[in-house]
């Protein structure tokens, strides 16, 4: 049998004993609480750092006041090629998986309207921006022949592996207006409309010790399929302290999500195996961004952004599941922060750009009961990188300005390392988070935990027209 933990688990670990899936927690943070940051190739080359510079439609991703900086109309489209590689290691074995997606990553445009008045107001500009990114992510962890489950006296199987498999996308469409006062103060506002699609699978494989056949198990209430829409608003301001220094600030309201959810359930006393539907309401954190920029001349500029989440994720309570989720985030969620640094240097018509971004870990240290690497016993262990962790981004890019037309290209490398819990599933009383196949049930009081290294390599190509 899978050895059961006899240690007293912490409050955080006790949460996992309920019916919630680890993937629900992960998606709450890195899908519904994040914002698509796929802008133009210029924006991406500077790691998304433009909060005090502005000038194009990508400003709607950070500070809508940047629309007011524009002095000419512009439209652009960006092709995105995103590569995602996960390496999962456990008990001395590793599994690599890579996937590449090609898509329309960004479309943006700005219309400028000079104000022929004697007041200080110089421009009123309107901007539209569409940003799209893939949520596809496949994490397959190795099995362990020492971790054996006895289904009955004549049938035993060892863990053959586990996979979290997510398909989907996240998009953000923004409409904004920006104003220019005396070329020294810029204000802006934006409305943001989100759409998300998530198909999530949680699957364990067990290999028969009798004949070597493989049996696949799905966690209770998986796979699940979510189609979601959300809304937020943004306000921002940029001020020139002098010709060389600018500061900016922006605030984005929580995103108010409506989530339509279908999921598979198993072994119900009345319905057996079937599919159910539910609607959820979710509110992402309120976010604030402060920025500073140094513009040495028309040939060099440097920008720094700092974004901080001011509140915590929260579900509307329609039942016990939402209460458990809210309790978890209340006790264990750390307000996310991100630092972005980006710069551009111009050599006549050529543009050279680079950037760096750091996103903090979203969770406090979490203690869980886990199997040791040999799979023979359980221990109580604390992790400071469970489920998700810090993320580092490096970027650079090149561009060429043909006056009316321009072409930009950029590359991003994004890395993160985290501990990946899986396999825990209990079945007692009203709690059911076990794993099911058509003929068998797997329960476990403890997690297996693999170490995952995630690396994303993204390429962007933008064609733009100024008018």
């Amino acid at each position: 049998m899978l050895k059961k933990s006899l240690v007293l688990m912490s409050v955080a670990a006790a949460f996992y004993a309920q019916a919630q899936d680890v993937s629900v927690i992960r998606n709450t943070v890195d899908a519904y609480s994040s914002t698509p940051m796929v802008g133009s190739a210029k924006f991406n080359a500077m790691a998304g750092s433009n909060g005090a510079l502005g000038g194009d439609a990508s400003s709607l991703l950070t500070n809508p006041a940047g629309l007011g900086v524009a002095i000419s109309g512009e439209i652009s489209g960006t092709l995105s090629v995103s590569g995602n590689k996960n390496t999962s290691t456990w008990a001395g074995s590793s599994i690599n998986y890579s996937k590449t997606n090609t898509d329309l990553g960004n479309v943006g445009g700005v219309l400028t309207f000079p104000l022929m008045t004697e007041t200080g107001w110089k421009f009123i500009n309107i901007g539209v921006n569409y940003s799209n990114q893939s949520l596809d992510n496949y994490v397959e962890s190795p099995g362990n022949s020492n971790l054996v489950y006895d289904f009955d006296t004549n049938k035993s199987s060892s863990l053959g592996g586990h996979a979290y498999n997510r398909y989907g996308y996240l998009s953000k469409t923004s409409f904004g207006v920006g104003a220019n006062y005396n070329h020294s103060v810029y204000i802006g506002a934006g409305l943001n409309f989100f759409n998300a699609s998530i198909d999530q699978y949680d699957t364990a494989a067990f290999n028969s010790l009798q004949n070597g056949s493989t049996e696949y198990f799905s966690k209770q209430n998986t796979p699940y399929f979510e189609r979601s829409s959300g809304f937020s608003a943004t306000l921002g301001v940029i001020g020139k302290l002098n010709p060389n220094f600018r500061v900016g600030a922006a605030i984005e309201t929580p995103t108010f999500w409506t989530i339509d959810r279908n999921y598979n359930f198993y072994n119900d006393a009345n319905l057996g195996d079937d599919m159910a539907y539910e609607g959820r309401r979710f509110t992402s954190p309120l976010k604030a961004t402060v920025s500073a920029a140094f513009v040495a001349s028309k040939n060099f500029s440097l920008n720094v952004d700092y974004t901080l989440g001011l509140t915590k994720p929260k579900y509307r309570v329609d039942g016990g599941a939402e209460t458990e989720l809210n309790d978890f985030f209340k006790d264990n969620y750390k307000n996310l922060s991100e630092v972005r640094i980006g710069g551009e240097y111009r050599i006549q018509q050529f543009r050279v750009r680079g950037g760096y971004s750091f996103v903090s870990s979203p969770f406090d240290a979490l203690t869980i009961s886990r199997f040791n690497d040999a799979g023979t016993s359980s221990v109580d262990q604390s992790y400071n990188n469970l489920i998700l962790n810090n993320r580092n981004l490096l970027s650079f890019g090149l561009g060429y300005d043909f006056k009316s037309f321009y072409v930009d290209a950029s590359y991003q490398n994004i890395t993160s390392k985290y501990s990946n819990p899986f396999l825990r599933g209990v079945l007692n009383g009203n709690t059911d988070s076990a794993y099911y196949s058509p003929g068998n049930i797997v329960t476990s009081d403890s997690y297996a935990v693999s170490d995952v290294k995630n690396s994303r390599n993204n390429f962007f190509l933008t064609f733009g027209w100024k008018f």
Side-chain angles (χ1 to χ4, degrees), residues 11-12 15 312 327-334 362-366:
V11 172
F15 168 84
K312 297 188 177 185
D327 288 345
F328 173 81
F329 288 115
K330 179 181 178 180
D331 294 336
N332 303 293
Y333 182 83
K334 294 190 300 186
F363 300 124
D364 293 320
L366 298 171

Side-chain angles (χ1 to χ4, degrees), residues 1-2 144-152 154-160 205-215 217 440 442:
M1 294 287 291
L2 290 174
N144 190 331
S145 60
N146 294 320
L147 208 162
V148 175
Y149 194 91
D150 299 320
F151 292 104
D152 54 45
N154 297 316
K155 184 179 180 183
S156 298
S157 297
S158 63
L159 179 65
F206 279 81
N207 299 326
S208 171
L209 300 184
Q210 284 68 46
N211 57 29
S213 63
T214 301
E215 191 171 6
F217 295 76
N440 290 296
V442 170

